[in-house]
Amino acid sequence: MHVHAPSTAKMQRVLRLSLVATLAYVVLTLLAGLRAHSLALISEAGHNASDALALVLSFVAVHFQSRPATDRKTFGYQRAGVLAAFLNALTLILISLWIGMEAVHRFAAPAVVQPRIMMLVAAAGVLMNGVIALLLWRVSHDVNMRSVFVHMLGDTLSTAAVIVGGAAIFITGRSGHPWLWLDPALSLAIAALILWSSFGIVKETLNILLEGTPRGLSLTEIRTQLEQIEGVEDVHDLHVWCLGSQTNALASHVTIADIPPSESARILEQINGTLRASFHIHHTTIQFEHTNCPVAHGCVMPVEAVTSHAHHHH
């Protein structure tokens, strides 16, 4: 997948803007949270700090991904974004566990919070996150940008919850019995939200980093379709993996009869056509073997290896 320059520049602009806004908001929520004694606000700061981290990593990743392939990195830097999302999600899991522990302490010893500050700061956050989420949604295509977008959306919702909580504490406080437990309850919910979104990202990115079969692809199905092509006798040593979050590659040995190269070229065309049309696999390495060779011993005869590399165009 070649990241086209204009979309990359646009992505980087949006990320830069989001980053500045998010960092400013982290500082604001942290100070306000300390001042209002609100754990929900402090957890929002943690949540947003994690977002800022996500943005920084995505920024670096978008930058790396747009660098061309070199002789030393033959697939370019597509994995940079995946690795970024993975590390980011791990940090998030730690932050959410810390918030969870703090919240449990708070239930035992409730702190008096200042609901007005809670509501004001959260309202500012909803506005900011909403705008950023909208901007990101317009440029989000790969897993890395998607993880950032999901974050922002989650943020908008959790910040909205903080406003509601602040309002409830404010109203109940006027009758002299403020519902102080709402504050740690909200922070637990926010922690759970961070945890849930992080696990999803860890699972998806780990699958890519461990060269797992791409989501939604079945090897059996690929094998069955290829073996239906006329002239293909057997498909073995089949591998499919993700290069980045968008690009899949396939390598396989295909057994065919001992036929002239012009014939085998037609078979290769059909194989690649099927892979492109049915499975969106554009990067293939197909090695032909002839039936008269002892496949059991891994093919001792000289084998013609045919590589095709059609670039992925959006």
Side-chain angles (χ1 to χ4, degrees):
M1 169 186 141
H2 298 282
V3 182
H4 307 299
S7 79
T8 303
K10 201 158 83 185
M11 243 184 203
Q12 286 183 320
R13 253 204 320 279
V14 171
L15 285 172
R16 206 175 290 136
L17 177 78
S18 317
L19 188 58
V20 173
T22 308
L23 285 174
Y25 185 64
V26 168
V27 175
L28 176 72
T29 33
L30 191 60
L31 295 175
L34 293 170
R35 233 199 106 179
H37 303 298
S38 165
L39 185 63
L41 276 187
I42 294 174
S43 62
E44 265 302 288
H47 195 174
N48 280 286
S50 72
D51 276 2
L53 179 72
L55 288 165
V56 169
L57 290 170
S58 304
F59 194 70
V60 171
V62 168
H63 172 69
F64 272 128
Q65 279 176 342
S66 58
R67 290 170 60 172
T70 60
D71 286 353
R72 302 209 38 196
K73 305 265 188 302
T74 56
F75 283 124
Y77 286 85
Q78 302 194 35
R79 288 272 169 95
V82 178
L83 191 59
F86 174 72
L87 292 173
N88 164 37
L90 285 183
T91 340
L92 281 180
I93 288 174
L94 293 175
I95 290 179
S96 59
L97 294 175
W98 175 80
I99 293 172
M101 277 157 50
E102 278 297 292
V104 172
H105 287 311
R106 278 278 173 110
F107 278 121
V112 177
V113 296
Q114 294 174 8
R116 270 205 188 85
I117 299 181
M118 263 176 91
M119 293 191 292
L120 273 173
V121 173
V126 165
L127 195 68
M128 182 199 73
N129 283 319
V131 171
I132 295 178
L134 194 70
L135 286 172
L136 284 172
W137 184 67
R138 287 170 48 195
V139 291
S140 68
H141 299 296
D142 65 342
V143 61
N144 175 20
M145 288 302 283
R146 206 173 64 237
S147 72
V148 177
F149 171 65
V150 167
H151 264 143
M152 283 295 162
L153 198 63
D155 264 23
T156 312
L157 295 174
S158 66
T159 318
V162 175
I163 299 182
V164 176
I169 294 173
F170 182 68
I171 294 164
T172 53
R174 293 173 76 171
S175 62
H177 295 287
W179 291 357
L180 294 175
W181 54 267
L182 261 174
D183 186 62
L186 282 169
S187 39
L188 268 183
I190 294 169
L193 184 85
I194 303 177
L195 204 59
W196 176 76
S197 65
S198 310
F199 268 131
I201 296 169
V202 165
K203 217 172 77 178
E204 185 173 349
T205 50
L206 200 56
N207 183 47
I208 296 177
L209 294 173
L210 293 178
E211 306 275 342
T213 302
R215 248 192 356 200
L217 281 186
S218 129
L219 280 194
T220 344
E221 206 175 311
I222 294 177
R223 192 177 283 115
T224 317
Q225 284 217 23
L226 292 185
E227 286 177 352
Q228 279 169 2
I229 294 172
E230 193 192 335
V232 172
E233 303 190 5
D234 171 55
V235 173
H236 54 278
D237 200 5
L238 175 61
H239 300 276
V240 183
W241 68 100
C242 295
L243 299 174
S245 59
Q246 300 265 311
T247 336
N248 297 332
L250 172 144
S252 177
H253 289 194
V254 174
T255 312
I256 56 175
D258 205 346
I259 49 176
S262 55
E263 274 284 286
S264 62
R266 175 193 60 80
I267 297 179
L268 183 68
E269 265 310 289
Q270 278 186 288
I271 290 177
N272 283 321
T274 301
L275 291 174
R276 265 197 309 271
S278 311
F279 305 103
H280 303 294
I281 297 173
H282 294 261
H283 189 113
T284 62
T285 307
I286 306 291
Q287 179 168 323
F288 281 143
E289 296 173 352
H290 301 303
T291 32
N292 58 7
C293 87
V295 178
H297 303 297
C299 234
V300 231
M301 286 181 61
V303 166
E304 50 176 314
V306 193
T307 300
S308 121
H309 184 178
H311 281 303
H312 188 117
H313 289 296
H314 285 298

